[in-house]
Amino acid sequence: MIIQAEHLEQTYISGGRPLTVLRDINLAVESQGFVAVVGPSGSGKTTLLGLLAGLDRPTRGTVRIDGQDLGPLSEDERARIRAEKIGFVFQTFQLIPTLTALENVLVPVELHPDPTFGRRERADQRARELLARVGLAQRTHHYPAQLSGGEQQRVALARAFANEPRILFVDEPTGNLDTDTGRAVIDLLVTLNTEERTTLVLVTHDQELARRAHRVIHLSGGAIVSDTGSRSA
Ligand code: ADP
Ligand code: MG
């Protein structure tokens, strides 16, 4: 299992009072799995992704990536694991405004702990290829402010693949896209899963995308209320 979560709880203090937004989440994802997380707004989907990716620490419980418990690790150690193994696409994209599309895509390559990984020609070529695959071959030198919301989202997707992560987390990948572009992004995600063997965990409201997943986890009120289609069950 490439991801294992046990008894995860996330409680925020809000207005001086504790607010539990995830409770007793138990989840294991097999390598090369394709999991869609669905559920109403506020059900804890984004929070869950952040915990599984090691971006945030849970109030309780454990997350293991590739067998390694993230709990005892320092912020730097977790950052290193993310740089090496994890791609993440945020709902808000989080592109760097002073860098072009191509430069944004190259950021994770430069952060990769293995210095031979980012050898310039190969990294540059892969970054251009990824931008082409998301339909942005003609936008490599555009800055985020010169791109539409959907284009920025696709740059964020290309950036998340750039370090060839074993696990890719994506929050609402088709949320800002028109039908045709959305379909192209879905096809790309499926290709990454089947051909590049990337484990995919994504949050979506898109029925078409959820249907392509191997497994659908439904969150409600911070708990898993159903988990269907698991091949490892
Ligand atoms: P979803 O992605 O399913 O819409 P989220 O995981 O973003 O849900 O949020 C779940 C709940 O946690 C929401 O009620 C949200 O207001 C609350 N929440 C999220 N982040 C914080 C935070 N940093 N502090 C306080 N409450 C938060
Ligand atoms: Mg969300």
Side-chain angles (χ1 to χ4, degrees):
M1 292 292 156
I2 194 160
I3 307 170
Q4 287 169 292
E6 280 169 13
H7 304 301
L8 280 189
E9 179 188 310
Q10 190 68 316
T11 297
Y12 294 115
I13 304 297
S14 171
R17 300 183 53 192
L19 173 71
T20 297
V21 303
L22 285 178
R23 57 191 82 236
D24 200 25
I25 299 286
N26 294 283
L27 182 64
V29 178
E30 61 187 341
S31 184
Q32 299 174 45
F34 180 176
V35 178
V37 179
V38 303
S41 176
S43 57
K45 304 182 298 295
T46 296
T47 304
L48 177 61
L49 238 55
L51 295 182
L52 296 179
L55 291 165
D56 300 306
R57 282 173 181 278
T59 309
R60 283 209 182 82
T62 57
V63 176
R64 286 192 185 80
I65 296 293
D66 236 353
Q68 181 161 31
D69 185 353
L70 301 184
L73 302 185
S74 69
E75 180 61 45
D76 283 354
E77 288 167 331
R78 280 185 295 143
R80 188 184 161 96
I81 287 179
R82 288 197 305 271
E84 206 170 22
K85 297 187 176 167
I86 293 175
F88 201 102
V89 185
F90 299 88
Q91 241 171 322
T92 50
F93 324 139
Q94 307 209 2
L95 297 176
I96 299 171
T98 54
L99 299 182
T100 65
L102 185 66
E103 289 164 349
N104 265 285
V105 173
L106 284 166
V107 167
V109 176
E110 272 151 27
L111 295 176
H112 197 282
D114 174 358
T116 62
F117 184 89
R119 269 190 302 235
R120 185 167 279 279
E121 317 82 74
R122 181 174 172 278
D124 205 77
Q125 190 192 332
R126 175 158 169 96
R128 287 172 190 277
E129 185 188 300
L130 284 167
L131 284 169
R133 280 166 82 175
V134 295
L136 295 176
Q138 308 304 318
R139 298 287 185 280
T140 51
H141 300 299
H142 281 55
Y143 290 90
Q146 300 169 323
L147 298 168
S148 72
E151 288 169 342
Q152 290 180 42
Q153 181 163 34
R154 284 179 281 150
V155 174
L157 266 170
R159 179 180 60 180
F161 310 146
N163 62 344
E164 301 174 10
R166 297 210 37 216
I167 314 171
L168 182 63
F169 293 95
V170 194
D171 205 348
E172 303 276 6
T174 56
N176 290 273
L177 306 179
D178 60 64
T179 313
D180 284 348
T181 314
R183 206 157 279 150
V185 165
I186 292 172
D187 288 343
L188 175 60
L189 290 169
V190 170
T191 304
L192 285 168
N193 177 242
T194 54
E195 289 174 18
E196 304 212 12
R197 303 174 173 195
T198 311
T199 303
L200 278 186
V201 181
L202 46 87
V203 167
T204 190
H205 285 114
D206 187 328
Q207 296 291 334
E208 185 175 337
L209 181 52
R211 268 198 303 275
R212 305 287 287 275
H214 305 158
R215 175 176 173 190
V216 178
I217 290 171
H218 197 126
L219 277 187
S220 181
I224 295 177
V225 293
S226 75
D227 183 347
T228 54
S230 171
R231 287 174 170 181
S232 58

